[in-house]
Each structure stands twice: as C-alpha cells, then as structure tokens.
Amino acid sequence: LAVNPAQICDRTINLTPEQQHYLHRVLRLNQGDKFIAMDGRGHWWLAVLEAQETGLIASITEEIAVNRELGVEVTLMAALPKGNGFDEVVRQATELGVASIVPVTSDRTLLKPSAQKVDRWKRITAEAAEQSERQFVPTILEPISFDLAVKDCGQKYRYICVARGDNRHLWDCLISLEPPQPPLVRGEQELEPPQPPLVRGEQEFDPAFVGAVPPCPPPGGELSIVIAIGPEGGWTDGEVKRAIEFGFEPVSLGSRILRAVTAPIVALSLVGAAFEK
Ligand code: SAM
C-alpha cells in the first residue's frame, strides 16, 4: 500500500478512509493481518492492521530491505500524444523503472495538458509503482516546452529518438556508456561510495523512521540519462537541430517506425536490458 510519510506518526500509519476501504473491502484484510506499506521514497515496511473505534489503523512492525530500482536514473522526455494515450505511457514507463517523466509540448503537439491530466498521471505513477513493487514513485514534472526541457538536463547523457535517418541505435549508445565507478578498495577493506541523499521530490523523508534497515537508494547512482520521444508527427528538423546543440545525440530505435506511445516503451525496455542489476 502506498502511503504518504505525513500519515505516519510513532510507527503508526493513519489510514485514509479510501485506504481502509481498499485493505478491508477489496483485499479482505482484517485486524491482525499484515501488509506491506511503501512511501515511494525508498522505504518498505511490514505493517499489521488494528481496529480502533474510529476505524482501522496500521502499526509498523519492521522495515524491509529491498531494491528493485534500475542501475541508471532515466528521465523520459515525451511529447504528448493525442487523447489519453499518455496515460498508458506513464503507467508502462513506471513499470519499466523510469525515474522521472517530463511531458513536453513541441512544434507538432496540439494542446497543453490540463492540471487535472497531470494529477491523473501522478496517480497513475503511484498505482503503477505499487503494482510493480518499486521502491520509488517516479516524478511527473509540470509540462514544459521542448526548448526549455532540452536546455535543462543537468549532467545527464542525452538522446533524442528520431524515426528516420541512419543514426546510431540507442542500444549501441547505452552499452558503450561508462559504468559508475566501483567503490575504492584499500587493502582488504572496501570503502563505501558516498550515500545518495534520502530526499526525493519536494517532501523530506522523516528521519524518525530511519531504522536498522537503510532505505533503498534512488535509481541510478552515478549514471543519469534522458531520452526524448517525439509526437505522432515526429520532431521537426529545427527541434532535432536545437536538441543536438544542447548535447543530445540523435538515435534510432530500429528500422520500423513506432507509434509515439510505443517508442518510449521500446526505449525504456532497452535501458532495462542494459542496466538491470
Ligand atoms: N512520421 C514521424 C516521423 O517521421 O518522424 C513518425 C513519428 S513517430 C510516430 C513518434 C516518435 O517516436 C518519433 O518522433 C520518435 O521520437 C519515436 N520513434 C518512432 N519510431 C522510431 C524509430 N524507429 N527510431 C527512433 N525513434 C522512433
């Protein structure tokens, strides 16, 4: 069950009415039954249901060490397809281990999505992360223009998928990436690499819940990549040119033209094949 860290106090999870309904009526759990709670920021806990006068609550009994995240932090920058096609992209990208999704408006994108759509995508990532038993819920960024998105990529390796041309295949690029540096070894003793911060997204992790088991580190460690996928009509030549100026490499996903909703799934499957731990 996905819970917000703000719901947890003194190792008790204050379940919302919807969560109580889901656990009791849908999953048919009763007092004393156990379930796994996750905060979407690297923590999993084993919790036991308890009945109180006011309804059901859950007590955390132990922390569970698990890491199902990819060995690379991957950002999907995707131009918005027509209709509700992006819902499925968001769901499947989450299942495939994406760390964040940037919906972009492009020269050939018709509409800027409404705030309600963005909220729906956030809900879909939470559901899909829970379903695929991930430790992190991917971040959905606010939709921005393609030009702003390509300028703002930090230290990531950057790829723009272009349906035509004789560009290098994304797979060849991925397998030639430098792996993260292994931990330094001094004599017999390994020195641990610096731990990534416990914080992801806007809200800080509550240090009161750091127990014996450290949280799963965020996906990726040292390696970050961004993959840009165009809309139904494809990127314009101008967009590809501008992306290249900002350090993107144009890449191919093979000789067949994939739909705008298929291409992100293929690209992320290749990333998973290259970087699954
Ligand atoms: N008629 C468009 C064109 O020629 O660019 C086709 C666009 S395709 C339906 C939508 C997006 O998926 C493309 O902009 C590209 O990012 C990605 N894509 C689809 N097939 C691809 C392929 N074989 N290689 C690389 N990218 C591909």
mmCIF file of all heavy atoms in Angstrom, residues 1-31:
data_model
loop_
_atom_site.group_PDB
_atom_site.id
_atom_site.type_symbol
_atom_site.label_atom_id
_atom_site.label_comp_id
_atom_site.label_asym_id
_atom_site.label_seq_id
_atom_site.Cartn_x
_atom_site.Cartn_y
_atom_site.Cartn_z
ATOM 1 N N LEU A 1 0.854 -1.184 0.000
ATOM 2 C CA LEU A 1 0.000 0.000 0.000
ATOM 3 C C LEU A 1 0.895 1.241 0.000
ATOM 4 O O LEU A 1 1.806 1.343 0.819
ATOM 5 C CB LEU A 1 -0.884 -0.003 1.260
ATOM 6 C CG LEU A 1 -1.858 1.163 1.337
ATOM 7 C CD1 LEU A 1 -3.093 0.896 0.486
ATOM 8 C CD2 LEU A 1 -2.282 1.376 2.795
ATOM 9 N N ALA A 2 0.614 2.175 -0.915
ATOM 10 C CA ALA A 2 1.393 3.421 -0.954
ATOM 11 C C ALA A 2 0.854 4.373 0.107
ATOM 12 O O ALA A 2 -0.349 4.627 0.161
ATOM 13 C CB ALA A 2 1.280 4.047 -2.335
ATOM 14 N N VAL A 3 1.736 4.862 0.963
ATOM 15 C CA VAL A 3 1.310 5.814 2.000
ATOM 16 C C VAL A 3 2.176 7.072 1.909
ATOM 17 O O VAL A 3 3.320 7.016 1.458
ATOM 18 C CB VAL A 3 1.398 5.222 3.426
ATOM 19 C CG1 VAL A 3 0.505 4.020 3.583
ATOM 20 C CG2 VAL A 3 2.837 4.884 3.806
ATOM 21 N N ASN A 4 1.587 8.174 2.356
ATOM 22 C CA ASN A 4 2.333 9.423 2.406
ATOM 23 C C ASN A 4 3.072 9.464 3.751
ATOM 24 O O ASN A 4 2.475 9.140 4.771
ATOM 25 C CB ASN A 4 1.308 10.569 2.327
ATOM 26 C CG ASN A 4 1.979 11.903 2.223
ATOM 27 O OD1 ASN A 4 2.978 12.169 2.892
ATOM 28 N ND2 ASN A 4 1.427 12.739 1.371
ATOM 29 N N PRO A 5 4.372 9.830 3.763
ATOM 30 C CA PRO A 5 5.092 9.860 5.046
ATOM 31 C C PRO A 5 4.375 10.702 6.096
ATOM 32 O O PRO A 5 4.481 10.425 7.296
ATOM 33 C CB PRO A 5 6.438 10.482 4.685
ATOM 34 C CG PRO A 5 6.617 10.224 3.237
ATOM 35 C CD PRO A 5 5.240 10.183 2.633
ATOM 36 N N ALA A 6 3.591 11.686 5.660
ATOM 37 C CA ALA A 6 2.869 12.529 6.635
ATOM 38 C C ALA A 6 1.793 11.731 7.375
ATOM 39 O O ALA A 6 1.298 12.171 8.417
ATOM 40 C CB ALA A 6 2.226 13.712 5.915
ATOM 41 N N GLN A 7 1.423 10.545 6.854
ATOM 42 C CA GLN A 7 0.410 9.723 7.530
ATOM 43 C C GLN A 7 1.002 8.924 8.682
ATOM 44 O O GLN A 7 0.267 8.245 9.398
ATOM 45 C CB GLN A 7 -0.190 8.708 6.547
ATOM 46 C CG GLN A 7 -1.100 9.288 5.491
ATOM 47 C CD GLN A 7 -1.573 8.183 4.560
ATOM 48 O OE1 GLN A 7 -1.131 8.084 3.434
ATOM 49 N NE2 GLN A 7 -2.460 7.330 5.051
ATOM 50 N N ILE A 8 2.343 8.935 8.799
ATOM 51 C CA ILE A 8 2.987 8.053 9.782
ATOM 52 C C ILE A 8 3.399 8.858 11.008
ATOM 53 O O ILE A 8 4.030 9.898 10.887
ATOM 54 C CB ILE A 8 4.229 7.371 9.164
ATOM 55 C CG1 ILE A 8 3.832 6.643 7.880
ATOM 56 C CG2 ILE A 8 4.854 6.407 10.154
ATOM 57 C CD1 ILE A 8 4.999 6.067 7.124
ATOM 58 N N CYS A 9 3.031 8.343 12.178
ATOM 59 C CA CYS A 9 3.397 9.006 13.432
ATOM 60 C C CYS A 9 3.635 7.910 14.468
ATOM 61 O O CYS A 9 2.790 7.027 14.642
ATOM 62 C CB CYS A 9 2.269 9.945 13.849
ATOM 63 S SG CYS A 9 2.670 10.871 15.312
ATOM 64 N N ASP A 10 4.796 7.940 15.110
ATOM 65 C CA ASP A 10 5.117 6.924 16.126
ATOM 66 C C ASP A 10 4.882 5.504 15.611
ATOM 67 O O ASP A 10 4.229 4.701 16.276
ATOM 68 C CB ASP A 10 4.273 7.136 17.392
ATOM 69 C CG ASP A 10 4.832 8.266 18.221
ATOM 70 O OD1 ASP A 10 6.009 8.623 17.982
ATOM 71 O OD2 ASP A 10 4.089 8.784 19.056
ATOM 72 N N ARG A 11 5.363 5.227 14.475
ATOM 73 C CA ARG A 11 5.264 3.902 13.838
ATOM 74 C C ARG A 11 3.823 3.441 13.642
ATOM 75 O O ARG A 11 3.532 2.246 13.542
ATOM 76 C CB ARG A 11 6.087 2.845 14.611
ATOM 77 C CG ARG A 11 7.555 3.241 14.713
ATOM 78 C CD ARG A 11 8.432 2.140 15.248
ATOM 79 N NE ARG A 11 8.726 1.133 14.240
ATOM 80 C CZ ARG A 11 9.687 1.233 13.333
ATOM 81 N NH1 ARG A 11 10.439 2.302 13.282
ATOM 82 N NH2 ARG A 11 9.891 0.281 12.462
ATOM 83 N N THR A 12 2.908 4.396 13.612
ATOM 84 C CA THR A 12 1.510 4.086 13.315
ATOM 85 C C THR A 12 1.143 4.770 12.004
ATOM 86 O O THR A 12 1.496 5.930 11.797
ATOM 87 C CB THR A 12 0.593 4.627 14.434
ATOM 88 O OG1 THR A 12 0.958 3.961 15.639
ATOM 89 C CG2 THR A 12 -0.867 4.371 14.131
ATOM 90 N N ILE A 13 0.460 4.024 11.132
ATOM 91 C CA ILE A 13 0.005 4.625 9.874
ATOM 92 C C ILE A 13 -1.465 5.002 10.034
ATOM 93 O O ILE A 13 -2.308 4.132 10.288
ATOM 94 C CB ILE A 13 0.152 3.645 8.692
ATOM 95 C CG1 ILE A 13 1.591 3.106 8.610
ATOM 96 C CG2 ILE A 13 -0.230 4.329 7.382
ATOM 97 C CD1 ILE A 13 1.769 1.990 7.597
ATOM 98 N N ASN A 14 -1.763 6.277 9.933
ATOM 99 C CA ASN A 14 -3.151 6.740 9.989
ATOM 100 C C ASN A 14 -3.759 6.579 8.601
ATOM 101 O O ASN A 14 -3.497 7.382 7.702
ATOM 102 C CB ASN A 14 -3.179 8.191 10.450
ATOM 103 C CG ASN A 14 -2.671 8.295 11.873
ATOM 104 O OD1 ASN A 14 -3.209 7.675 12.777
ATOM 105 N ND2 ASN A 14 -1.584 9.032 12.053
ATOM 106 N N LEU A 15 -4.516 5.512 8.433
ATOM 107 C CA LEU A 15 -5.027 5.171 7.096
ATOM 108 C C LEU A 15 -6.177 6.095 6.707
ATOM 109 O O LEU A 15 -7.039 6.413 7.532
ATOM 110 C CB LEU A 15 -5.522 3.725 7.101
ATOM 111 C CG LEU A 15 -4.450 2.663 7.417
ATOM 112 C CD1 LEU A 15 -5.105 1.318 7.723
ATOM 113 C CD2 LEU A 15 -3.471 2.521 6.244
ATOM 114 N N THR A 16 -6.194 6.499 5.446
ATOM 115 C CA THR A 16 -7.314 7.312 4.956
ATOM 116 C C THR A 16 -8.537 6.399 4.796
ATOM 117 O O THR A 16 -8.394 5.161 4.713
ATOM 118 C CB THR A 16 -6.987 7.921 3.577
ATOM 119 O OG1 THR A 16 -6.839 6.831 2.644
ATOM 120 C CG2 THR A 16 -5.717 8.759 3.589
ATOM 121 N N PRO A 17 -9.742 6.980 4.712
ATOM 122 C CA PRO A 17 -10.926 6.134 4.501
ATOM 123 C C PRO A 17 -10.797 5.283 3.227
ATOM 124 O O PRO A 17 -11.201 4.114 3.220
ATOM 125 C CB PRO A 17 -12.062 7.159 4.365
ATOM 126 C CG PRO A 17 -11.580 8.358 5.128
ATOM 127 C CD PRO A 17 -10.089 8.392 4.947
ATOM 128 N N GLU A 18 -10.186 5.839 2.176
ATOM 129 C CA GLU A 18 -10.023 5.069 0.931
ATOM 130 C C GLU A 18 -9.077 3.892 1.155
ATOM 131 O O GLU A 18 -9.313 2.779 0.666
ATOM 132 C CB GLU A 18 -9.449 5.954 -0.194
ATOM 133 C CG GLU A 18 -10.361 7.067 -0.668
ATOM 134 C CD GLU A 18 -10.414 8.252 0.307
ATOM 135 O OE1 GLU A 18 -9.448 8.446 1.071
ATOM 136 O OE2 GLU A 18 -11.445 8.968 0.315
ATOM 137 N N GLN A 19 -8.010 4.126 1.908
ATOM 138 C CA GLN A 19 -7.058 3.030 2.166
ATOM 139 C C GLN A 19 -7.702 1.959 3.044
ATOM 140 O O GLN A 19 -7.492 0.762 2.825
ATOM 141 C CB GLN A 19 -5.799 3.588 2.842
ATOM 142 C CG GLN A 19 -4.940 4.418 1.903
ATOM 143 C CD GLN A 19 -3.850 5.179 2.646
ATOM 144 O OE1 GLN A 19 -3.985 5.508 3.819
ATOM 145 N NE2 GLN A 19 -2.773 5.474 1.950
ATOM 146 N N GLN A 20 -8.503 2.386 4.031
ATOM 147 C CA GLN A 20 -9.199 1.407 4.890
ATOM 148 C C GLN A 20 -10.154 0.570 4.037
ATOM 149 O O GLN A 20 -10.229 -0.649 4.186
ATOM 150 C CB GLN A 20 -9.986 2.137 5.981
ATOM 151 C CG GLN A 20 -9.094 2.850 6.972
ATOM 152 C CD GLN A 20 -9.895 3.560 8.050
ATOM 153 O OE1 GLN A 20 -10.873 3.020 8.563
ATOM 154 N NE2 GLN A 20 -9.479 4.755 8.404
ATOM 155 N N HIS A 21 -10.869 1.244 3.146
ATOM 156 C CA HIS A 21 -11.807 0.539 2.262
ATOM 157 C C HIS A 21 -11.039 -0.469 1.415
ATOM 158 O O HIS A 21 -11.436 -1.634 1.298
ATOM 159 C CB HIS A 21 -12.532 1.556 1.373
ATOM 160 C CG HIS A 21 -13.430 0.916 0.355
ATOM 161 N ND1 HIS A 21 -14.744 0.598 0.608
ATOM 162 C CD2 HIS A 21 -13.181 0.502 -0.920
ATOM 163 C CE1 HIS A 21 -15.266 0.024 -0.457
ATOM 164 N NE2 HIS A 21 -14.334 -0.039 -1.407
ATOM 165 N N TYR A 22 -9.918 -0.023 0.837
ATOM 166 C CA TYR A 22 -9.137 -0.891 -0.056
ATOM 167 C C TYR A 22 -8.628 -2.125 0.704
ATOM 168 O O TYR A 22 -8.771 -3.262 0.231
ATOM 169 C CB TYR A 22 -7.978 -0.081 -0.648
ATOM 170 C CG TYR A 22 -7.066 -0.888 -1.521
ATOM 171 C CD1 TYR A 22 -7.488 -1.335 -2.781
ATOM 172 C CD2 TYR A 22 -5.787 -1.226 -1.091
ATOM 173 C CE1 TYR A 22 -6.643 -2.091 -3.576
ATOM 174 C CE2 TYR A 22 -4.940 -1.977 -1.892
ATOM 175 C CZ TYR A 22 -5.377 -2.412 -3.128
ATOM 176 O OH TYR A 22 -4.545 -3.164 -3.908
ATOM 177 N N LEU A 23 -8.064 -1.897 1.899
ATOM 178 C CA LEU A 23 -7.484 -3.022 2.639
ATOM 179 C C LEU A 23 -8.566 -3.984 3.132
ATOM 180 O O LEU A 23 -8.420 -5.206 3.035
ATOM 181 C CB LEU A 23 -6.682 -2.499 3.846
ATOM 182 C CG LEU A 23 -5.384 -1.757 3.492
ATOM 183 C CD1 LEU A 23 -4.823 -1.056 4.727
ATOM 184 C CD2 LEU A 23 -4.335 -2.721 2.929
ATOM 185 N N HIS A 24 -9.678 -3.406 3.620
ATOM 186 C CA HIS A 24 -10.693 -4.239 4.270
ATOM 187 C C HIS A 24 -11.684 -4.825 3.257
ATOM 188 O O HIS A 24 -11.960 -6.026 3.267
ATOM 189 C CB HIS A 24 -11.420 -3.391 5.320
ATOM 190 C CG HIS A 24 -12.391 -4.185 6.132
ATOM 191 N ND1 HIS A 24 -12.043 -5.339 6.799
ATOM 192 C CD2 HIS A 24 -13.714 -3.994 6.393
ATOM 193 C CE1 HIS A 24 -13.096 -5.833 7.413
ATOM 194 N NE2 HIS A 24 -14.125 -5.040 7.186
ATOM 195 N N ARG A 25 -12.215 -3.958 2.388
ATOM 196 C CA ARG A 25 -13.281 -4.415 1.476
ATOM 197 C C ARG A 25 -12.729 -5.046 0.202
ATOM 198 O O ARG A 25 -13.301 -6.003 -0.310
ATOM 199 C CB ARG A 25 -14.177 -3.241 1.071
ATOM 200 C CG ARG A 25 -14.862 -2.580 2.216
ATOM 201 C CD ARG A 25 -16.202 -3.253 2.498
ATOM 202 N NE ARG A 25 -16.758 -2.747 3.728
ATOM 203 C CZ ARG A 25 -17.440 -3.471 4.598
ATOM 204 N NH1 ARG A 25 -17.656 -4.736 4.363
ATOM 205 N NH2 ARG A 25 -17.920 -2.948 5.691
ATOM 206 N N VAL A 26 -11.624 -4.486 -0.322
ATOM 207 C CA VAL A 26 -11.101 -5.022 -1.595
ATOM 208 C C VAL A 26 -10.153 -6.190 -1.322
ATOM 209 O O VAL A 26 -10.322 -7.284 -1.864
ATOM 210 C CB VAL A 26 -10.396 -3.914 -2.422
ATOM 211 C CG1 VAL A 26 -9.878 -4.478 -3.755
ATOM 212 C CG2 VAL A 26 -11.341 -2.728 -2.658
ATOM 213 N N LEU A 27 -9.155 -5.980 -0.439
ATOM 214 C CA LEU A 27 -8.195 -7.065 -0.174
ATOM 215 C C LEU A 27 -8.693 -8.040 0.894
ATOM 216 O O LEU A 27 -8.074 -9.078 1.125
ATOM 217 C CB LEU A 27 -6.837 -6.481 0.250
ATOM 218 C CG LEU A 27 -6.100 -5.629 -0.789
ATOM 219 C CD1 LEU A 27 -4.718 -5.249 -0.268
ATOM 220 C CD2 LEU A 27 -5.946 -6.362 -2.127
ATOM 221 N N ARG A 28 -9.798 -7.686 1.576
ATOM 222 C CA ARG A 28 -10.406 -8.546 2.601
ATOM 223 C C ARG A 28 -9.470 -8.803 3.778
ATOM 224 O O ARG A 28 -9.448 -9.907 4.336
ATOM 225 C CB ARG A 28 -10.831 -9.899 1.985
ATOM 226 C CG ARG A 28 -11.840 -9.755 0.878
ATOM 227 C CD ARG A 28 -13.211 -9.750 1.448
ATOM 228 N NE ARG A 28 -14.216 -9.355 0.476
ATOM 229 C CZ ARG A 28 -15.384 -8.840 0.800
ATOM 230 N NH1 ARG A 28 -15.689 -8.630 2.055
ATOM 231 N NH2 ARG A 28 -16.268 -8.514 -0.101
ATOM 232 N N LEU A 29 -8.682 -7.803 4.146
ATOM 233 C CA LEU A 29 -7.805 -7.944 5.317
ATOM 234 C C LEU A 29 -8.570 -7.525 6.566
ATOM 235 O O LEU A 29 -9.415 -6.618 6.517
ATOM 236 C CB LEU A 29 -6.554 -7.068 5.168
ATOM 237 C CG LEU A 29 -5.640 -7.359 3.971
ATOM 238 C CD1 LEU A 29 -4.389 -6.505 4.055
ATOM 239 C CD2 LEU A 29 -5.260 -8.829 3.907
ATOM 240 N N ASN A 30 -8.249 -8.176 7.687
ATOM 241 C CA ASN A 30 -8.901 -7.873 8.965
ATOM 242 C C ASN A 30 -7.846 -7.591 10.026
ATOM 243 O O ASN A 30 -6.646 -7.725 9.768
ATOM 244 C CB ASN A 30 -9.773 -9.060 9.392
ATOM 245 C CG ASN A 30 -10.980 -9.179 8.490
ATOM 246 O OD1 ASN A 30 -11.737 -8.216 8.334
ATOM 247 N ND2 ASN A 30 -11.141 -10.342 7.872
ATOM 248 N N GLN A 31 -8.347 -7.251 11.223
ATOM 249 C CA GLN A 31 -7.437 -6.980 12.336
ATOM 250 C C GLN A 31 -6.426 -8.117 12.461
ATOM 251 O O GLN A 31 -6.798 -9.288 12.419
ATOM 252 C CB GLN A 31 -8.264 -6.880 13.620
ATOM 253 C CG GLN A 31 -7.413 -6.874 14.860
ATOM 254 C CD GLN A 31 -8.102 -6.100 15.971
ATOM 255 O OE1 GLN A 31 -8.592 -5.009 15.753
ATOM 256 N NE2 GLN A 31 -8.135 -6.662 17.154
#
